[in-house]
Amino acid sequence: MDDKISVVICNQYKLELKSVLSQDGFENYISIQAQANRKYPACCDHSEKFICNLLKKNKSTHIIGGSCLSITKKEFREYGGIDLYKANQCQYFLASEAIVDGLQNQGAYIVSPGWLVSWKKKIDFWGFDQSTAREFFKETTLKIVLLDTGVCESCGEDLKNFAEYLDLPYETLYVGLDHFKLYLRDLMHKMKSRSAHDKAEMIQQRDEAANYAMAMEIVSQLSESKSAADTIQQTIDLFTMLFSPEHIIFHSMTESIPFNPELFQFEGATCLTNNGQGFFVKISFEGVTYGVLEIINVAHSQYLKAYINLTMNLIGVVSLAIKEAIYKEKLLETAEQLEWELAVNAALSEISSGLMNQDNDLEYLIHLILKQALKLTGSQHGFVSVVDEKSGHKIGYTLTKMMGSSCKIEGKDRKIAFSISEEGTYKGLSGHALNIKTGFFTNDPARHQEAKGI
């Protein structure tokens, strides 16, 4: 029997599995190409003969699958050495539940590189032609999203062809292999914990497995954060729970937060602090550095190497979460700016239409302008005034509406005049805007230096 531990996964993820298992820390693991009962090109419905042969040849077999993984341990208990790991959705292998669920809530049909390679066979297997496939997908799908792990050079073209076949928009979210690698390491530590021989090894493996399990749970929640600040704080909380340091500082690369450039000059992803009791780690994704995490004086420095190894396994997923949070903030800012510009254009259009209608008098136009100004600013009160060409007085046509019952003037004569001073200036806050010939705002009008009352 081979001492290697075999890992079986759906054919859709065989390239990702082979890539991760070729890295350090997975030397005793081998990936096995799955064999399904059916001709479906990617399925977790493995044949019994295939599983039995694996159990006879290898020291241990671990089968990873999604909701279509139908076999149970009971079927193969006579062989021993089999473990099943089943996720609710196999997309959770590549990205956190928050990212996957969020995309699906947006109407996305999520695909992986391995899925796209044989998308035509899948369409045929489902019994669709192009017409029926388009009709079926458009009932539930608004876009196609590829979770790009970087293992397939042709998947971009495959995505384009698949989306065009369905006449749907498409986009790519680069996730890399960090989340999948973290998922496998979590499983690996669970395996080691169960197979430990002596008490010391058992305690060590149990602690490592607990750390990875906690990290996986917290990392899965990072993408649910609504802002980059929240994501960064959750990251700090994660490493605080893992390493119990005296302090953690996130040194940001964003323009709005100052940072010490020297912190970003070290080579590689990590380096020790000057006293050797903590370390720095770069938060970067796809060659872009978003900041440096400084972990100061961990509680048990004898485990510093293990802490750094765990951090290196987590940091890719953490960096992706921070990158996504920053992207969402920028997207929200752009959407809000666009919404504002559309509202301003709509207001200007309505005012322009009113000005062009010769039947509208000055009173109508003034109230039209006030209506749009209140709407744009979300204000309850406001007024519009006009400077009289002869006297120079500022006539407030709509001011008395916010004075309530204190004003006894009725009808069109309901207006208040503010006289111009001998120096040619006006008093009060409204006069201040005329004096400086520009708009301004204040959140404390009563204490403004130009406040005079009425």
Side-chain angles (χ1 to χ4, degrees), residues 304-321:
L304 196 57
K305 183 177 179 180
Y307 291 164
I308 292 175
N309 288 337
L310 175 57
T311 300
M312 291 304 298
N313 288 319
L314 294 173
I315 210 63
V317 183
V318 169
S319 298
L320 173 60

Side-chain angles (χ1 to χ4, degrees), residues 222 229 231-240 242-243 245 247-253 259 263-264 266 269-273 278-284 289-296 307-308 311-312 314-315 318-319 322:
L222 286 179
T231 305
I232 291 168
Q233 185 56 55
Q234 284 186 305
T235 300
I236 292 174
D237 293 342
L238 166 63
F239 288 108
T240 298
L242 288 173
F243 308 143
H247 196 44
I248 295 181
I249 302 173
F250 181 80
H251 303 277
S252 176
M253 278 287 286
F259 64 92
L263 291 173
F264 297 82
F266 61 87
T270 65
C271 76
L272 294 177
T273 54
F279 58 98
F280 298 94
V281 58
K282 288 180 182 176
I283 306 293
S284 59
T289 299
Y290 298 99
V292 166
L293 204 63
E294 182 180 3
I295 300 174
I296 304 168
Y307 291 164
I308 292 175
T311 300
M312 291 304 298
L314 294 173
I315 210 63
V318 169
S319 298
I322 292 176

Side-chain angles (χ1 to χ4, degrees), residues 336-352:
E336 289 175 347
Q337 180 63 30
L338 180 59
E339 185 178 358
W340 168 253
E341 291 176 359
L342 290 172
V344 170
N345 290 337
L348 292 175
S349 176
E350 190 165 341
I351 292 172
S352 297

